[in-house]
């Protein structure tokens, strides 16, 4: 097979449409739908690893579709009734199979590669400055999975030349992929109801929620072995000319699956692991962020020092002495551990993520006075009451004549009622003597550190004590 023949195959066959579908369909999903993949530190353009995981998560439906398209392409000779004619030619069967297989593999690799390239450009434009190598195997295994799935579909269709083969394969693989991906992504790491090793035979992954999570090396190795076996079986079935050859063609996929199940980890915590390099802390005095968010340190450090000075002025010895990015993994809805001595910074919280300049200083002061142990992310939402209380605390610490919200209250009834209650609490707070005001702020802080959420506004208004 030379370049000219391959070019003719690409122009005159349906092979390029598989790559075009993966590229155009994925970009349509990402760019035309304003969803969670555009938000937070684990967004698809936020970091290289999250970009690779988001593009790979789309394989949950692209992989079954590509298998079906490969099967449809594999029926070409049977539909044109040239199978017997081609078997009489002196050219070896594997050479005849290499042309459609190569065209399909090239189209899918280029299509998925361009998708990754677009994501990589968007990450680079954002300028995080953190470029790990761990994202490469994630994307390479995804591309291998697409190619292996398409060739397997082609091989099965060559053995079972029926119009029912493509839809049956697509639906069957979709059902298996859906079963494998019945994973609970709400925990600290994704977990599933079935055996973890079997779930990892699917090249698709769950959508990333934690910036610091990545796939372990054993997952990359096991999936590569399995997918290479699947690819070899697909090509062998495509080139097989006898029943014995077809039976022998099953050897690679069975051997690959057996070896993969020995290599793949059995515990979800060994599947999704923390990227230690990304999670390592980089500090400027008392202000620390992760290596992945090093680019944020230039702005956060001076604002963090200003916030610590204000907190020291109003709290004295009880004030925190450090600002640190939160790196603890937690399940959705789970409280995060907060301490009185550290101001935790979570760049997934909208107040911190959007704040710049003096607004960032305000947000850090607010987090130091009324630490939010509930943690809000693009996956959770909420936080209306927490943000309102933090706005009151920051306004008090800065000596402002009236409360200034950290972010504009929403238009819904709950948001308006919450801010109205917060303003009423502010009126009662500022009407008290200075010593009493400080006492209430300290009590609010103690209640927030203890995650006693319902006490914060009553304590601030002097209607409850701890």
């Amino acid at each position: 097979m030379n370049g000219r023949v391959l070019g003719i195959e690409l122009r005159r066959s349906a092979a390029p449409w598989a790559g075009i579908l993966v590229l155009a369909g994925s970009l349509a999903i990402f760019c035309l739908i304003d969803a969670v993949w555009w938000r937070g530190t684990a967004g698809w353009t936020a970091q290289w690893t999250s970009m690779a995981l988001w593009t790979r998560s789309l394989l949950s439906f692209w992989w079954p579709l590509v298998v079906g398209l490969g099967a449809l392409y594999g029926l070409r000779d049977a539909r044109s009734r040239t199978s017997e004619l081609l078997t009489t030619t002196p050219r070896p069967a594997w050479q005849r199979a290499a042309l459609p297989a190569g065209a399909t593999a090239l189209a899918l690799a280029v299509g998925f590669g361009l998708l990754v390239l677009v994501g990589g450009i968007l990450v680079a434009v954002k300028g995080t400055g953190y470029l790990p190598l761990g994202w490469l195997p994630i994307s390479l295994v995804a591309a291998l999975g697409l190619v292996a799935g398409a060739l397997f579909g082609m091989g099965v269709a060559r053995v079972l030349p029926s119009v029912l083969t493509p839809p049956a394969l697509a639906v069957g693989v979709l059902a298996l992929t859906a079963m494998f991906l019945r994973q609970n992504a709400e925990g600290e790491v994704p977990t599933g109801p079935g055996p973890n090793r079997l779930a990892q035979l699917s090249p698709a992954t769950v959508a990333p929620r934690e910036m610091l999570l990545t796939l372990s090396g054993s997952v990359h190795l096991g999936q590569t072995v399995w997918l290479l076996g699947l690819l070899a079986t697909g090509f062998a079935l495509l080139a097989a000319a006898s029943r014995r050859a077809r039976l022998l063609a099953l050897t690679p996929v069975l051997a690959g699956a057996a070896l993969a199940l020995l290599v793949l980890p059995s515990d979800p915590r060994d599947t999704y692991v923390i990227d230690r390099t990304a999670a390592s802390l980089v500090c400027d005095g008392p202000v620390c962020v992760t290596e992945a968010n090093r680019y944020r340190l230039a702005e956060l450090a001076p604002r963090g020092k200003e916030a610590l000075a204000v907190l020291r002025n109003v709290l004295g010895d009880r004030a925190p002495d450090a600002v640190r990015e939160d790196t603890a993994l937690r399940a959705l809805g789970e409280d995060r551990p907060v301490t009185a001595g550290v101001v935790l910074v979570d760049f997934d919280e909208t107040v911190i993520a959007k704040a710049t300049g003096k607004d960032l200083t305000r947000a850090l002061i607010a987090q130091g006075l009324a630490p939010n142990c509930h943690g809000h992310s693009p996956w959770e939402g909420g936080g209306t009451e927490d943000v309102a209380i933090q706005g009151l605390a920051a306004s008090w610490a800065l000596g402002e004549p009236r409360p200034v919200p950290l972010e504009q209250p929403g238009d819904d009834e709950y948001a308006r009622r919450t801010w109205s209650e917060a303003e009423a609490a502010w009126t009662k707070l500022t009407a008290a003597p200075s010593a009493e005001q400080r006492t209430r702020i300290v009590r609010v802080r103690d209640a927030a550190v203890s995650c006693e959420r319902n006490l914060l506004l009553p304590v601030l208004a002097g209607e409850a004590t701890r």
Side-chain angles (χ1 to χ4, degrees):
M1 180 176 62
N2 56 41
R4 186 178 65 85
V5 175
L6 181 60
I8 295 174
E9 180 73 12
L10 287 171
R11 289 196 304 271
R12 297 183 178 180
S13 71
W17 288 105
I20 293 172
L21 180 65
V22 170
L23 173 61
S26 300
L27 290 178
I29 292 172
F30 282 139
C31 298
L32 300 181
I33 302 176
D34 183 18
V36 69
W37 48 74
W38 283 109
R39 303 183 181 94
T41 57
W44 90 287
T45 61
Q47 298 283 352
W48 288 92
T49 300
S50 58
M51 180 274 296
L53 288 172
W54 270 114
T55 52
R56 183 162 165 178
S57 69
L58 297 183
L59 265 63
S60 58
F61 50 89
W62 288 142
W63 199 50
L65 190 59
V66 162
V67 173
L69 288 176
L72 187 64
Y73 189 24
L75 291 177
R76 182 177 62 175
D77 293 347
R79 290 198 310 270
S80 59
R81 299 181 181 180
T82 60
S83 300
E84 293 184 2
L85 175 64
L86 291 174
T87 56
T88 61
T89 61
R91 191 179 184 187
W94 69 267
Q95 289 187 5
R96 295 198 305 272
L99 183 60
T104 302
L106 180 61
L108 286 170
V110 170
F112 188 77
L114 289 175
L115 172 64
V116 173
L117 177 62
V118 171
I121 291 174
L122 293 176
V123 175
V125 168
K126 187 173 182 178
T128 65
Y130 179 64
L131 180 57
L133 296 178
W135 72 274
L136 274 174
I138 297 174
S139 295
L140 290 175
V141 171
L144 175 61
L146 289 172
V147 173
L151 263 62
F152 180 74
M154 293 172 66
V156 173
R158 181 64 62 87
V159 175
L160 301 173
S162 169
V163 293
L164 298 178
T165 298
L169 267 180
V171 172
V173 174
L174 179 63
L176 287 175
T177 303
M179 181 180 67
F180 287 154
L181 281 182
R182 284 171 54 204
Q183 297 187 29
N184 177 17
E186 296 180 356
E188 293 183 358
V189 297
T191 57
N196 192 51
R197 287 192 177 99
L198 287 177
Q200 293 169 56
L201 293 181
S202 168
T205 59
V206 296
R209 184 173 59 82
E210 297 280 358
M211 176 195 68
L212 299 177
L213 284 181
T214 187
L215 293 174
S216 65
S218 57
V219 173
H220 298 319
L221 177 60
Q223 290 183 337
T224 299
V225 170
W226 148 249
L227 292 173
L228 285 175
L230 188 68
L231 185 151
T233 289
F235 184 78
L237 289 174
L238 193 61
S242 65
R243 178 174 298 180
R244 180 173 178 272
R246 291 169 182 170
L247 290 175
L248 289 176
L250 299 177
T251 303
V253 69
L254 296 177
L259 290 174
L261 291 176
L262 293 176
V263 174
L264 292 170
S266 59
D267 190 336
R269 290 184 175 273
D270 295 326
T271 301
Y272 291 90
V273 297
I274 292 179
D275 185 338
R276 299 296 178 185
T277 303
S280 61
L281 293 180
V282 182
C283 300
D284 182 348
V287 182
C288 299
V289 297
T290 60
E291 178 66 34
N293 283 321
R294 177 193 284 266
Y295 72 102
R296 299 178 183 266
L297 187 60
E299 182 178 15
L300 184 67
R303 298 300 173 180
K305 294 171 184 177
E306 289 179 14
L308 290 176
V310 173
L311 292 171
R312 194 177 308 112
N313 182 52
V314 299
L315 294 177
D317 295 338
R318 299 173 64 95
D321 56 8
V323 176
R324 179 172 55 82
E325 182 179 351
D326 185 12
T327 59
L329 301 179
R330 63 180 184 85
L332 286 178
E334 181 183 45
D335 290 343
R336 63 179 179 185
V338 295
T339 59
V342 176
V343 178
L344 284 181
V345 174
D346 185 352
F347 293 112
D348 276 331
E349 293 188 10
T350 55
V351 172
I352 295 291
K354 295 179 180 179
T356 57
K358 294 182 178 180
D359 289 339
L360 181 55
T361 303
R362 285 180 55 86
L364 295 174
I365 294 171
Q367 184 65 25
L369 290 175
N372 175 19
C373 67
H374 302 283
H376 304 291
S377 71
W379 296 81
E380 294 172 302
T384 301
E385 185 175 342
D386 294 331
V387 173
I389 293 167
Q390 288 182 335
L392 298 189
S395 295
W396 177 85
L398 293 170
E400 295 171 338
R402 62 183 184 86
V404 179
L406 293 179
E407 60 181 8
Q408 283 302 114
D411 294 332
D412 58 288
E413 181 181 352
Y414 173 71
R416 290 195 298 268
R417 185 176 68 251
T418 299
W419 184 246
S420 177
E421 293 173 355
E423 289 181 319
W426 170 266
T427 301
K428 295 179 180 179
L429 172 68
T430 54
S434 299
E436 174 64 18
Q437 292 180 30
R438 183 182 183 280
T439 300
R440 292 184 191 179
I441 290 293
V442 170
R443 288 173 180 169
V444 165
R445 185 165 183 265
D446 292 341
V449 171
S450 303
C451 294
E452 299 177 11
R453 185 175 187 173
N454 296 330
L455 286 178
L456 299 188
L457 274 179
V459 169
L460 202 64
E463 299 171 357
T465 58
R466 296 187 72 254

